[in-house]
Amino acid sequence: MKSQLLGLTFLFLSLGGMGLTRAENSTHLQQLRQTNQCPNCDLRGVNLSRIQLRGVNLTGSNLTGADFSYADLENSDLRGANLTGVNFNGTILSGARLDSTTQIDRKWRMVWEIVSQGARGRDISGADLSHAYLQNVNFSGANLAGSNLTQAELNGCNLNSANLSSANLTSTNLSRANLTNADLKGANLREANLQGADLSAADLRDADLRGADLTRADLRMDSVWGYTRLRGANLDGVNVCDAVMEEGLKVELNCR
């Protein structure tokens, strides 16, 4: 009987502690929404998807398992925060402040470094950058061979002379990207958005472009198209003036 009472007491205290944590979490969440300031807060597992949080102060806060997908964290202060297991898919991290005490998954620290410092000439081959928001980042001359960029936001990026061979770019947004002289041999570009992209002199041998949108893309200056698969690709307005086909044949289509 005594042991049963002790067990019930322990259960009661445990449930009471859980209730306190939830109440604290709710109070801190309300504080965050009202003031955009919540240092040292308990925000474990909160859903802040697609929320505008520019300049937010979350220093020292516990955000383990939180959902920040597609949120705007530009210029946020995340120093000392626990961001383990946080969902940063599509999250804007430009200008965000992290330090050595910030606990964050390796993938997202790399994304933050790229957004903050650029990746010009950097070797990030085989990296997992899927779903990352990397708009307008300078990747010129970078090695991204075999990297996973599935559904990443790369519109307006400078990928001049970048190595993207065998990279996975499925459903990636590459609109207005500079891909001149880029190595895209064997790259998976299925369903990719390449609207207005500059692919002049890019090497697309063995690349898979099925379902890709190439509206107003520029493929001038002897782009290499040997064995490229284009079934289902949107070629409306595509400039393939003087593009090299198999056996050295050139075509003139939509030349401007």
Side-chain angles (χ1 to χ4, degrees):
M1 183 69 179
K2 192 172 182 179
S3 61
Q4 288 179 331
L5 285 172
L6 285 171
L8 287 171
T9 302
F10 178 76
L11 178 62
F12 175 78
L13 290 172
S14 299
L15 290 172
M18 290 174 63
L20 178 63
T21 300
R22 281 196 291 267
E24 186 177 79
N25 185 291
S26 177
T27 300
H28 288 173
L29 185 57
Q30 184 177 8
Q31 176 185 333
L32 174 64
R33 287 173 170 166
Q34 290 177 348
T35 68
N36 213 39
Q37 304 286 318
C38 205
N40 301 310
C41 286
D42 177 8
L43 294 166
R44 287 172 289 174
V46 296
N47 184 356
L48 294 166
S49 177
R50 303 182 186 276
I51 300 296
Q52 167 65 259
L53 291 168
R54 287 187 182 181
V56 67
N57 180 4
L58 291 167
T59 54
S61 292
N62 188 350
L63 293 144
T64 307
D67 185 357
F68 279 100
S69 57
Y70 305 99
D72 187 347
L73 286 171
E74 184 176 352
N75 298 323
S76 58
D77 195 340
L78 302 170
R79 290 174 295 178
N82 187 345
L83 304 169
T84 307
V86 170
N87 181 356
F88 283 117
N89 287 353
T91 306
I92 300 174
L93 291 170
S94 54
R97 284 182 286 175
L98 279 68
D99 61 16
S100 59
T101 65
T102 303
Q103 299 176 60
I104 185 170
D105 297 347
R106 183 179 178 183
K107 169 184 176 176
W108 297 115
R109 184 172 283 278
M110 177 183 288
V111 169
W112 171 75
E113 288 176 355
I114 291 171
V115 170
S116 302
Q117 305 164 16
R120 183 175 181 178
R122 182 172 174 175
D123 184 359
I124 40 181
S125 54
D128 179 9
L129 299 173
S130 57
H131 303 279
Y133 188 93
L134 299 164
Q135 180 175 311
N136 296 323
V137 168
N138 185 357
F139 286 99
S140 59
N143 183 5
L144 289 153
S147 57
N148 182 2
L149 290 153
T150 304
Q151 295 186 44
E153 188 69 35
L154 293 170
N155 64 307
C157 283
N158 183 357
L159 289 151
N160 175 39
S161 300
N163 182 358
L164 289 154
S165 58
S166 301
N168 188 348
L169 294 151
T170 306
S171 301
T172 300
N173 184 4
L174 287 156
S175 59
R176 301 181 297 101
N178 178 1
L179 286 153
T180 55
N181 297 299
D183 184 351
L184 287 156
K185 292 192 297 291
N188 185 351
L189 287 152
R190 285 194 184 191
E191 307 295 335
N193 180 0
L194 288 155
Q195 293 184 34
D198 189 348
L199 286 151
S200 53
D203 190 341
L204 287 155
R205 284 174 291 181
D206 295 315
D208 190 345
L209 282 151
R210 283 177 286 184
D213 188 346
L214 288 150
T215 305
R216 296 181 300 281
D218 193 339
L219 292 148
R220 290 177 295 180
M221 297 175 60
D222 299 336
S223 301
V224 183
W225 282 73
Y227 307 109
T228 303
R229 288 167 283 185
L230 289 167
R231 188 174 64 204
N234 184 343
L235 298 174
D236 182 29
V238 173
N239 186 343
V240 290
C241 190
D242 291 331
V244 177
M245 306 296 283
E246 283 187 70
E247 300 176 354
L249 296 176
K250 293 186 178 183
V251 297
E252 293 186 4
L253 177 64
N254 296 333
C255 290
R256 305 191 276 272

